[in-house]
Amino acid sequence: MKWPDGPQTPALLQSINLVVNPLKYLDKCAKYYGDIFTIRFLSYPPVVVISNPQGMEEIFTANPKQFNSGEANRMLPRTFSGDSSLLVLDGNLHQRRKRMLTPPFHGERMRAYGQLICDITKQVMMQWKIDEPFHVQPSMQDISLQVILRAIFGLNEGTRFQHLKKLLNSLVNLLSDPWSASILFFRTLQQDWGPWSLWGRFVRLRQQVDEIIYAEIKRRRNDPSLLGEDILSLMMTARDESGELMTDVELRDELMILLIGGHETTAMSMTWALYWIHHLPKVYENLMVELDTFGSDLEPTAIARLPYLNAICQETLRIYPTVIFTSYRIVQEPVKIMGYQFEPGTFLSPCVYLTHKREDLYPEPNHFRPERFLERQFSPYEFLPFGGGNRRCLGKAFALFEMKLVLATILVHLKLVLADLPPVKPVRKVVTVAPSKMYLIPTEEKVSTSNTLVYR
Ligand code: HEM
C-alpha cells in the first residue's frame, strides 16, 4: 500500500507537536503536503490526515461497516469513557445505542430545555459586576455544565448535583493546560504517586464522581418512581434486543462521556463566540440590530432561528473548531479514498480544522466573517464542526441551540467590552482547542428589555 507523503521527523516529536501546538503543526503539514498526508504518533499506527471535501464525502457516505471508530476510540486513554460508551462501540451496538440516545437531544425534548438554558445563563450573569472584568471561560463552563447535568439527571435535580458539578469542574480544569493534558496521551505518565501527583489527583477525583453517579443509579433502581424524562432514566429503562437492561458500569460510562464531551466543547465554543462578537465592532452591531428587532421577549425557539446569530455560531465553529479532528475511521475492507487504495487496519483522520481553513472554500480563511454563511450554503463535507456520517456528534442540535440562547441572553441584558489584555489565541484544553485567557467587562445593564437583571 502506498502511504500519502508526510513529515519524516520521529514519532515522539510529531506527538509532542500535536499535543502542545496542534494548529500550527497541522498548518505546516498542510502547507508542505496538501490535503492528504501521513503523520506518526507514539503507540499508534501511522494516521492519514484528510482535509478534502471529496475525501470527506467518500468517508461520511460509506457503508458504516466500512470503517470502525469505536475500535480506535478504545485505544485512546480510557480516562473518562470506560469500555462501553457510545464513543467506543461499533456496528449494530453503536447504531442501537445512538438511536436510543438521540431523541432527548433533538426536537421537542431539546426545546423543553430552552427556558432553563436562559435561566441558568441569567443566574451565572448575576455573579458578574458592572465595571469588573470577569474570566469568560469558567462562566461558560458553569453554564454548559449546569445545562448538561440537568438534561442528564432531570430538571428538578438542581441542588442535588452542586457537588457533582464542582467535582467535574475540578476534573476538567486539572488537565486544562497543554502539559497536564499530555498525561492523557502518554500512558507512561499515568502513574498514581499519591494524592499530590497529577495522575493521583485525577484518579481520586474521578472516583468521587463515579461514587455519586453510582449512588444516583442505585437510588433510582431502588425507587422506580424517581425515574423521569431525563437521559439517565431513559437509559435505565431501555432494553437491548435480548431484553437486557444496561448495567451500572455501562450507564456510568455513557453518562461520563456525555458530561465531559457535551460540556467542554460547548463552553469553549461560546467563549470563542463572545470573543469574536466583542473583538469585531461591526459583528456586534449587526447582531444587536437583529436582537433588537426581535424585541424583549426572549422566546427560545425564535432565537434559535435568527439568521445572523446562526451565522456567527457557524463562523465561530469554522475558524477555530473546538474539536479539530473527527474520531478516527479504521478501514475494515480495502477502500479507495482520494485515489489512494487503503488496506484494512489503516487509520484515517478527517481533519475539521484544515478543511475549514481551505482558501478555495473560505476565501481569507483567517478572517472572521459570518456573512459567508449567509451568502452560500456549505455542504456537510465542507463544513463539519460536528463530524459526519454515522459518527456525527450526538449533541449537534443541542449544542447549537444552547450556544444561541446563551449568547442572546447575555447580549440583550448587558453591554460588555473586552478587557485590554494580550491578544487571544487558540490553546489546547482536555479534548478541545480553546481561546487563551479572556476577560470581559460589563459596562452597563440594558434596561430596555423586560427581563432585566438587578445589579448592585
Ligand atoms: C460545540 C459543541 C460540540 C462540538 C464542536 C462537538 C464535536 C464533535 C465531533 C467533531 C465529534 C466526532 C464526530 C465524528 O467522528 O464524525 C463528536 C462526537 C460526539 N459528540 Fe460532540 N460536539 C459538541 C457537543 C456535544 C454535546 C453537547 C454532546 C452531548 C450531548 C456531544 C456528544 C457527542 C458524542 C456522544 C459523540 C460520539 C458520537 C458517535 O461516536 O457516534 N457533543 N462531537
Side-chain angles (χ1 to χ4, degrees):
M1 187 183 95
K2 182 183 175 326
W3 292 94
D5 276 352
Q8 296 304 311
T9 43
L12 174 64
L13 210 60
Q14 296 195 38
S15 309
I16 292 175
N17 270 315
L18 276 159
V19 170
V20 176
N21 211 339
L23 304 190
K24 217 165 156 187
Y25 189 62
L26 287 169
D27 282 334
K28 220 159 120 186
C29 290
K31 194 166 158 216
Y32 284 113
Y33 304 106
D35 52 15
I36 181 160
F37 55 84
T38 308
I39 51 175
R40 284 168 176 81
F41 292 108
L42 280 186
S43 51
Y44 269 99
V47 173
V48 178
V49 177
I50 298 170
S51 56
N52 177 297
Q54 179 204 328
M56 297 302 169
E57 185 167 1
E58 287 167 346
I59 293 171
F60 292 162
T61 56
N63 183 330
K65 292 198 177 98
Q66 177 69 68
F67 301 110
N68 274 357
S69 291
E71 183 188 338
N73 291 334
R74 279 198 295 277
M75 290 174 71
L76 289 170
R78 257 166 265 163
T79 33
F80 298 115
S81 63
D83 286 329
S84 53
S85 74
L86 179 66
L87 206 61
V88 299
L89 298 178
D90 278 312
N92 291 342
L93 275 180
H94 170 260
Q95 216 179 338
R96 270 210 305 273
R97 184 74 64 80
K98 197 151 188 180
R99 219 179 294 133
M100 180 179 107
L101 290 175
T102 296
F105 293 106
H106 293 83
E108 275 311 307
R109 299 275 291 280
M110 173 188 83
R111 282 191 285 277
Y113 293 103
Q115 197 50 52
L116 179 83
I117 295 172
C118 297
D119 291 345
I120 290 175
T121 309
K122 283 190 229 164
Q123 257 172 40
V124 171
M125 289 169 69
M126 294 300 287
Q127 296 155 24
W128 307 341
K129 304 225 160 48
I130 297 290
D131 292 333
E132 282 186 25
F134 66 93
H135 190 188
V136 182
Q137 195 175 296
S139 289
M140 294 305 112
Q141 279 176 298
D142 193 3
I143 294 171
S144 70
L145 186 52
Q146 289 198 53
V147 169
I148 194 78
L149 276 170
R150 298 282 191 97
I152 287 177
F153 293 107
L155 294 174
N156 303 317
E157 299 286 2
T159 44
R160 275 187 74 75
F161 291 99
Q162 285 306 316
H163 187 43
L164 182 54
K165 191 184 96 177
K166 272 205 193 111
L167 288 172
L168 283 165
N169 249 332
S170 313
L171 197 63
V172 170
N173 288 333
L174 190 66
L175 305 178
S176 63
D177 66 85
W179 291 110
S180 312
S182 56
I183 208 166
L184 297 176
F185 300 90
F186 300 109
R187 263 169 248 184
T188 41
L189 299 178
Q190 295 175 6
Q191 306 290 340
D192 183 357
W193 283 310
W196 302 109
S197 65
L198 184 59
W199 190 248
R201 264 184 295 160
F202 179 82
V203 170
R204 281 160 185 78
L205 273 171
R206 190 180 56 185
Q207 197 180 335
Q208 290 181 60
V209 171
D210 284 353
E211 279 163 17
I212 296 180
I213 291 179
Y214 283 130
E216 183 57 22
I217 295 172
K218 191 167 171 202
R219 198 173 76 94
R220 294 187 191 199
R221 284 215 200 281
N222 289 342
D223 181 0
S225 73
L226 296 172
L227 295 169
E229 291 258 285
D230 54 79
I231 290 158
L232 174 56
S233 301
L234 182 94
M235 292 198 298
M236 286 183 66
T237 47
R239 291 181 185 274
D240 69 13
E241 275 169 3
S242 48
E244 295 292 320
L245 292 169
M246 284 171 77
T247 65
D248 288 6
V249 173
E250 285 171 336
L251 288 167
R252 176 263 171 214
D253 286 357
E254 205 62 81
L255 291 181
M256 200 66 164
I257 211 65
L258 295 176
L259 286 169
I260 301 289
H263 149 225
E264 193 186 281
T265 45
T266 315
M268 299 312 156
S269 306
M270 296 190 300
T271 309
W272 270 125
L274 282 173
Y275 167 71
W276 291 114
I277 291 166
H278 293 92
H279 177 61
L280 300 169
K282 194 71 201 144
V283 171
Y284 177 80
E285 272 166 38
N286 289 346
L287 179 57
M288 290 321 291
V289 168
E290 189 174 76
L291 288 174
D292 283 346
T293 54
F294 183 71
S296 60
D297 183 19
L298 286 178
E299 207 284 292
T301 319
I303 293 174
R305 281 201 222 105
L306 293 175
Y308 196 70
L309 179 59
N310 183 51
I312 288 180
C313 292
Q314 292 188 304
E315 181 68 343
T316 299
L317 291 165
R318 179 199 70 81
I319 194 162
Y320 288 126
T322 41
V323 182
I324 54 180
F325 293 106
T326 72
S327 293
Y328 290 129
R329 281 13 184 211
I330 306 183
V331 176
Q332 300 300 298
E333 288 164 13
V335 65
K336 213 172 198 181
I337 305 282
M338 289 177 65
Y340 285 87
Q341 179 75 28
F342 294 115
E343 294 305 317
T346 311
F347 277 54
L348 305 181
S349 183
C351 183
V352 182
Y353 169 73
L354 286 178
T355 311
H356 289 184
K357 279 289 159 93
R358 289 178 69 99
E359 191 96 47
D360 58 344
L361 297 175
Y362 304 101
E364 298 187 292
N366 296 323
H367 287 197
F368 185 89
R369 219 175 62 78
E371 288 73 16
R372 61 175 104 237
F373 284 93
L374 301 172
E375 290 157 5
R376 72 161 274 205
Q377 185 99 24
F378 294 91
S379 80
Y381 319 114
E382 295 168 336
F383 180 63
L384 50 139
F386 298 96
N390 68 322
R391 305 300 303 206
R392 196 180 74 177
C393 173
L394 179 76
K396 177 186 174 200
F398 195 89
L400 280 171
F401 187 59
E402 180 177 344
M403 273 179 85
K404 291 175 191 174
L405 296 193
V406 171
L407 295 174
T409 305
I410 295 173
L411 291 164
V412 299
H413 286 105
L414 274 183
K415 173 99 180 82
L416 299 154
V417 294
L418 270 178
D420 198 10
L421 282 174
V424 169
K425 56 181 178 25
V427 289
R428 168 149 217 141
K429 294 280 162 189
V430 182
V431 288
T432 60
V433 171
S436 55
K437 246 185 193 161
M438 166 195 152
Y439 287 78
L440 282 168
I441 310 170
T443 55
E444 65 180 89
E445 185 183 1
K446 298 183 178 174
V447 286
S448 59
T449 69
S450 60
N451 296 315
T452 46
L453 302 168
V454 181
Y455 280 90
R456 276 170 213 115

